[in-house]
Amino acid sequence: MDFQGVIVHWYKENKRDLPWRKTKDPYRIWLSEIMLQQTRVEQGLPYYQKFTAAYPTVFDLAKAQEEEVLKLWQGLGYYSRARNLHTTAQEIAYNYKGTFPNGYDALKKLKGVGDYTASAIASICFNRPTPVVDGNVYRVLARYFGIAIPINSTEGIKYFKALAKELILKDQPGDYNQAIMEFGARQCKPQSPNCKLCNLQNSCVAFAEGKMGELPVKLKKTKVKKRYFNYLIITDNEKTILQQRKNKDIWQNLYEFPLIETSKEVEIEHIAGHDTFLKLIHGNAYNIRLFNEELKVHKLSHQHIYTRFWIVTLHGKLKSGTVIEKVKDYPVPVLIANFVEDFGF
DNA sequence: AAGGCGGGGTG
DNA sequence: CACCCAGCCTT
């Protein structure tokens, strides 16, 4: 049996029972593909369930408020996916009368839909021979064919896409695409691939040369930036202050407490004398204390955020603000959600 | 071509 | 700790 035959056969024997594999509804396939970008199936699955329950059709998603969509997305990360998801739902609902385009080119024009996702939808929903090349496919092909071209170089991207195009089974493109991805996720795993029980063992270049650990080749590591966040929990024991992040930075459009970002750790005097703090206090009497003696480190893949939460209790009443009981209704970063939980608002 | 964008799992 | 995940967008 050839490479594709083994892959598809393995898939039929080993594929997981996942909800988006029971449908060819482009709305649900699109939703699942967006959620699974840079995200493991096990992490995305509960979100898929929540979204399909809350928004059974693309019209339901289109009608929702962005804030509600972000709240449902909370914890899944890469929040531009949620914002683009909402935008594209409105595009499909109102400009396409609810019907997704059925070809690669038109699909790729949708916000948040790139080469991978357009190929996935076109093959799974519309039986088009458009090959997907995700992290799993890069790994399987690099190992099996012994290709050392860096997968994130311009040359590598072109090379692997062309190879995937040669390999795709035109009579079952959707199944083949899903098969090679599932094979990469479960059999040809990044660490400790299960070569011992692999039907491609005999013909796999990486296995023959013992290079499973060296393939695929990837250029440069991400270097991590350090940031120092000081959150001000201003409260009169009835209300607090929440703000929406609007800058082009992490967590765009999510909510958080007023923030003083500094270039290094700072002490209480720095906070109490800061312009941002003084404007919020507005001359009122207050008491301030540090919630966490230990610096809280929130790790993102590209930055480490060292955080202090300052509890500022006002003696007077806040004129405007968010009722404390409502804080949990806002979409917030996990860092904030964890604090709210620990603090017991 | 390079950098930014989350959060969690694995070894 | 490093690496990676059903990638995409902006500059």
Side-chain angles (χ1 to χ4, degrees):
Chain A
M1 201 157 33
D2 62 7
F3 172 80
Q4 299 97 313
V6 173
I7 292 284
V8 170
H9 180 258
W10 177 93
Y11 181 61
K12 292 193 190 312
E13 299 289 313
N14 295 283
K15 70 175 184 179
R16 286 169 287 186
D17 182 22
L18 299 169
W20 49 84
R21 289 187 176 151
K22 300 179 187 303
T23 180
K24 290 198 170 186
D25 176 6
Y27 167 63
R28 302 208 169 207
I29 297 300
W30 162 72
L31 179 60
S32 71
E33 294 299 346
I34 300 297
M35 286 182 165
L36 293 176
Q37 290 167 5
Q38 292 291 284
T39 304
R40 291 170 202 282
V41 165
E42 310 84 71
Q43 191 187 1
L45 181 54
Y47 287 84
Y48 177 84
Q49 305 284 25
K50 282 197 294 184
F51 269 76
T52 50
Y55 313 121
T57 72
V58 71
F59 295 101
D60 299 310
L61 179 55
K63 278 186 297 191
Q65 293 297 117
E66 180 186 277
E67 195 165 306
E68 182 187 303
V69 176
L70 284 171
K71 184 62 188 178
L72 272 189
W73 197 273
Q74 180 179 309
L76 197 55
Y78 285 146
Y79 296 93
S80 65
R81 291 185 294 171
R83 300 190 300 268
N84 291 336
L85 184 83
H86 190 223
T87 300
T88 291
Q90 295 178 328
E91 170 88 357
I92 296 294
Y94 306 135
N95 297 343
Y96 289 77
K97 299 178 181 174
T99 305
F100 276 78
N102 58 20
Y104 172 90
D105 291 330
L107 284 164
K108 197 171 178 306
K109 287 191 172 68
L110 301 171
K111 261 229 165 81
V113 176
D115 178 78
Y116 163 79
T117 304
S119 301
I121 298 172
S123 64
I124 295 170
C125 302
F126 305 112
N127 223 33
R128 305 294 179 88
T130 47
V132 296
V133 185
D134 74 333
N136 294 307
V137 176
Y138 278 123
R139 184 171 56 258
V140 172
L141 297 183
R143 285 176 177 168
Y144 182 77
F145 293 100
I147 303 160
I149 307 171
I151 60 172
N152 54 344
S153 64
T154 303
E155 185 194 357
I157 293 168
K158 280 179 60 181
Y159 186 95
F160 283 96
K161 183 75 177 180
L163 177 55
K165 193 169 177 59
E166 294 295 317
L167 293 169
I168 193 170
L169 295 181
K170 293 180 178 165
D171 59 330
Q172 42 176 337
D175 280 345
Y176 170 77
N177 275 339
Q178 293 188 80
I180 189 169
M181 290 191 286
E182 184 85 338
F183 184 83
R186 314 242 305 166
Q187 180 78 14
C188 196
K189 297 179 290 184
Q191 293 135 325
S192 62
N194 190 5
C195 302
K196 212 180 315 182
L197 295 177
C198 180
N199 287 333
L200 290 173
Q201 194 197 88
N202 291 331
S203 43
C204 179
V205 173
F207 184 79
E209 301 179 0
K211 291 184 173 173
M212 291 80 73
E214 300 164 43
L215 295 172
V217 175
K218 203 169 183 175
L219 293 174
K220 68 183 169 285
K221 343 280 175 195
T222 56
K223 64 170 193 286
V224 178
K225 231 187 307 183
K226 290 185 179 181
R227 300 175 73 173
Y228 297 86
F229 281 12
N230 291 273
Y231 279 117
L232 306 177
I233 294 79
I234 316 259
T235 178
D236 57 5
N237 291 319
E238 185 180 323
K239 293 177 181 169
T240 188
I241 297 176
L242 277 186
Q243 303 176 341
Q244 191 173 28
R245 290 181 69 90
K246 282 299 191 184
N247 296 336
K248 291 179 65 175
D249 193 359
I250 55 172
W251 305 328
Q252 190 177 41
N253 289 11
L254 272 61
Y255 288 78
E256 64 184 358
F257 299 103
L259 173 65
I260 297 174
E261 181 172 1
T262 53
S263 54
K264 55 180 173 51
E265 293 178 40
V266 291
E267 302 308 320
I268 192 165
E269 294 79 12
H270 184 89
I271 300 300
H274 199 281
D275 226 36
T276 302
F277 177 83
L278 295 172
K279 281 197 169 66
L280 288 161
I281 296 308
H282 206 70
N284 284 293
Y286 66 89
N287 177 65
I288 181 169
R289 69 180 176 90
L290 179 58
F291 175 72
N292 55 323
E293 285 304 327
E294 196 82 356
L295 216 47
K296 169 78 177 168
V297 190
H298 187 72
K299 294 180 178 179
L300 309 181
S301 45
H302 47 291
Q303 44 189 284
H304 289 181
I305 301 174
Y306 296 82
T307 313
R308 282 183 165 151
F309 295 95
W310 301 93
I311 313 299
V312 182
T313 309
L314 293 182
H315 296 169
K317 287 293 175 190
L318 272 171
K319 282 195 283 289
S320 62
T322 304
V323 179
I324 287 171
E325 285 74 26
K326 297 282 187 191
V327 169
K328 63 180 191 313
D329 298 334
Y330 288 82
V332 298
V334 166
L335 173 64
I336 299 296
N338 287 344
F339 166 78
V340 169
E341 180 69 21
D342 294 345
F343 185 56
F345 247 155

